[in-house]
Amino acid sequence: MAPTNVPELFGSYVFNKRVMKDRLPKETFRALKKTLDEGVPLDLDVANQVAHAMKEWAIEKGATHYAHWFQPLTGITAEKHDGFLNPTDDGGILMTFSGKELVKGEPDASSFPSGGTRATFEARGYTVWDPSVYPFVKEHTLCIPTAFCSYTGEALDKKTPLLRSMEALNKQGLRILRLFGNNTAKRISTTVGPEQEYFIVDEKLYNQRKDLRLTGRTLFGAKPAKGQEMDDQYFAALKSRIVEYMEDLNDTLWKYGILAKTEHNEVAPAQHEMAPIFSTTNIAADQNQLTMEVMKKVARRHGLVCLLHEKPFAGLNGSGKHNNWSMATDEGENLLNPGDTPEKNAQFILFVTAVVKAVDEYQDLLRISVASASNDHRLGANEAPPAIISIFMGEELQAVLESIKNGTHYDEISKKKMTLGVDVLPPIPKDSTDRNRTSPFAFTGNRFEFRSVGSSLSISGPNTVLDGIVAYTLKKFADELEPAKNFDEALQVLVKRELNAHWRIIFNGNGYDPSWISEAESRGLMNLKNLPEAMEHYMDPKNIKLFTELGIYTKKEIESHYEIKLEKYCQVLNIEVQTMLEMLNKDILPAAFKYMRDVSKTVSNLKSVVPGAKCGAETELLKKLDGLVDELAEKTEELNRKHLETKQAADYMSEAKAYANVVIPAMAETRAVADQIEVLLGEDYKPFPSYEDLLFRI
Ligand code: ADP
Ligand code: MG
């Protein structure tokens, strides 16, 4: 491939500020900029001019259509394309695009999940442009990032609540900043850098595996002779097919203005990671959706398939999407960066305390925000952050917080104590390499890293919760501190009290250690092992109160999410069981029968040629296979029966629970027997590519 001119390529398919400035009349650009920077609504005249310029530019980039690009509750993106073309009287066409079409769209909403919201309210939904994210040309379509609502104002998407939660955090965070004397910052935004992990497999092999095609993960597969035990994959030199893939991936992402920065091999064989430079949360969320789409498409161009499932292979590390999160002002101040004056440090400590309190009080919401049928395989498994939510602070910051909490020394040698607003913090190391990777929520020097987010999830949900719970806590803090006569004193009291109240959530130890489970239990922390268990807490009054008071979700929206999440969980498992049953009946059992038949034939042939031949090995093998095949047939029947029973459940919650507690264990048992058979079959008899084929043949 020709070398890439990155500065030239970067953002070349994005209608960004540079293009806007270039192509719009000065007045129009100024009006648009006001919309972009301050959220002032666009008037129709300006919108018309912007739409015209956008269309002309898009046509030059090869676009023939435009689409309102949005994120329904399916968790993936949706786009309905409309051509620019408009017929003229004389049989020709004009390419048109109006301000109205730019700003608002009316896709038919009836086939998107709404969990009852739409049924009881309004059958139509509409999309509105989110001008804080730039439009871009993808393939032949001008994509306009939009929010998606019902006509009665309920959010039918993931973007709207995220924007609402960011707004809540902005409002409450600014109240806190004013208390510290900052009267100049106009806006606080949260920032996110999502590290995206993924697996790459060969397309031809992938096509031979029904489970990968239909469910995104392997439902069968014996452990290969070699797994990840040698640790010879992490950061290893890239195979040439992977290099070509990554080059193409980077070029495509850069074209769309995505700041793809870091790329490397991950721990498991065939596993990799791409991390972009962080950006404002709603932009990061949109771009991550686009990134996942591009990752999959580019892979196909190289005869590869990109797997974004959280656990494509049993026994190997799963894939996450570490959500690096912080808060920053429009003046460029990172509020989770320890400062260098006592004032700034007190402010930093207050924001950290808010995060501690928020995470402790809303463990359930954070856990729910990352719950999915696929991510359940990862959370609580040995390599992933546990299902228990806790915070890793790092030694230095922990010592400081402890000193504030107890009024003791944080530095025993120099007998230093921490008084807020008076003392300067000791240096807090950033991002040290030996940091704890077993924590679901870790402070890494100037941000928190929420590691429980799954690789296939939209980051909108987890960040809506994160922004929401921190906003709510900041609100309580501001309510208490604003009326205080002596701010410094009130601050000391508040921080000390809250750290004492929520200290249990801080855990610097090994989150994979089995002893942590009992320790967490004795601390009263939640251990929500799977989606249905977690969802039982979703509609707890405290959670509804938080969301509705901040205006992030209405009660109706919460009720609909509850239904949608459970329904989706059941659907995923239903597909997995059906796929399993098909593979058992059509692939695995027939493969075993065929092998057994051939071995039996060998035995009878041999006996007729060599009278008295013992055929000991063959007979042993046949006996073993015969036993296993019987067992597998039984397990298959049992799985089928349990599955059918589960589908009789009266509601989604009982169905989901039956899947989690009855069907998933039955799937595991069935698989275990099938995997034993796989090991015994001759190479020519295996029904589909093995783990070894998938993991090591790139
Ligand atoms: P590691 O794998 O060591 O955790 P990476 O470099 O892969 O680190 O990812 C770190 C991510 O954190 C990047 O996306 C980076 O841009 C992001 N990040 C850095 N600072 C911030 C911040 N203030 N807010 C949000 N994300 C940040
Ligand atoms: Mg990384």
Side-chain angles (χ1 to χ4, degrees), residues 191 193 195 273 275-278 324 326 334 435 437 447 449:
T191 52
E195 297 167 55
E273 179 188 297
I277 297 174
F278 71 93
N324 294 271
S326 192
N334 177 354
R435 64 183 207 247
R437 291 197 164 266
R447 60 185 186 267
E449 190 173 330

Side-chain angles (χ1 to χ4, degrees), residues 40-237:
V40 178
L42 215 55
D43 76 48
L44 193 59
D45 198 37
V46 176
N48 276 329
Q49 292 184 46
V50 175
H52 177 77
M54 216 183 263
K55 177 205 69 187
E56 294 294 303
W57 167 85
I59 288 172
E60 283 168 34
K61 297 285 167 194
T64 50
H65 289 65
Y66 73 92
H68 277 200
W69 188 73
F70 59 102
Q71 298 162 37
L73 297 169
T74 51
I76 52 174
T77 56
E79 46 193 86
K80 177 184 155 232
H81 298 183
D82 274 300
F84 289 127
L85 81 177
N86 234 332
T88 54
D89 293 346
D90 56 358
I93 55 145
L94 272 177
M95 297 294 263
T96 63
F97 183 48
S98 70
K100 228 177 106 212
E101 288 168 315
L102 163 65
V103 174
K104 193 166 168 180
E106 299 190 25
D108 177 12
S110 53
S111 297
F112 290 111
S114 70
T117 308
R118 217 175 30 238
T120 36
F121 278 92
E122 174 62 68
R124 280 180 313 160
Y126 64 93
T127 49
V128 262
W129 182 27
D130 167 15
S132 58
V133 189
Y134 299 133
F136 56 95
V137 170
K138 177 165 69 82
E139 286 129 23
H140 63 278
T141 304
L142 167 67
C143 295
I144 299 146
T146 52
F148 180 36
C149 305
S150 80
Y151 262 91
T152 40
E154 275 85 17
L156 293 173
D157 69 344
K158 296 195 171 244
K159 183 194 272 279
T160 309
L162 178 64
L163 290 172
R164 293 175 183 163
S165 75
M166 289 171 70
E167 190 44 46
L169 191 137
N170 169 47
K171 190 166 150 204
Q172 305 304 332
L174 283 177
R175 288 176 68 194
I176 299 288
L177 285 192
R178 302 293 182 246
L179 288 169
F180 282 94
N182 180 337
N183 291 311
T184 46
K186 284 209 207 70
R187 222 191 137 72
I188 296 178
S189 298
T190 52
T191 52
V192 166
E195 297 167 55
Q196 178 73 53
E197 294 182 337
Y198 59 97
F199 278 85
I200 291 285
V201 297
D202 186 274
E203 188 177 24
K204 283 200 211 80
L205 300 174
Y206 168 92
N207 283 337
Q208 296 168 49
R209 296 231 22 163
K210 189 175 277 191
D211 47 3
L212 280 181
R213 277 189 285 116
L214 298 185
T215 73
R217 75 179 180 108
T218 54
L219 299 169
F220 298 99
K223 268 208 173 85
K226 179 176 190 274
Q228 63 188 49
E229 59 277 60
M230 307 276 287
D231 286 329
D232 51 359
Q233 156 85 357
Y234 193 50
F235 287 179

Side-chain angles (χ1 to χ4, degrees), residues 399-400 403 408-412 415-418 424-426:
V400 168
S403 154
T408 49
H409 308 299
Y410 72 79
D411 185 342
E412 277 308 322
K415 297 286 172 218
K416 278 195 186 133
K417 240 169 129 174
M418 184 69 203
V424 180
L425 287 185

Side-chain angles (χ1 to χ4, degrees), residues 356-377:
V356 170
K357 179 178 165 75
V359 172
D360 187 33
E361 286 181 344
Y362 298 97
Q363 298 160 42
D364 48 356
L365 284 183
L366 284 170
R367 174 65 184 88
I368 288 164
S369 78
V370 296
S372 70
S374 51
N375 206 22
D376 274 2
H377 294 291

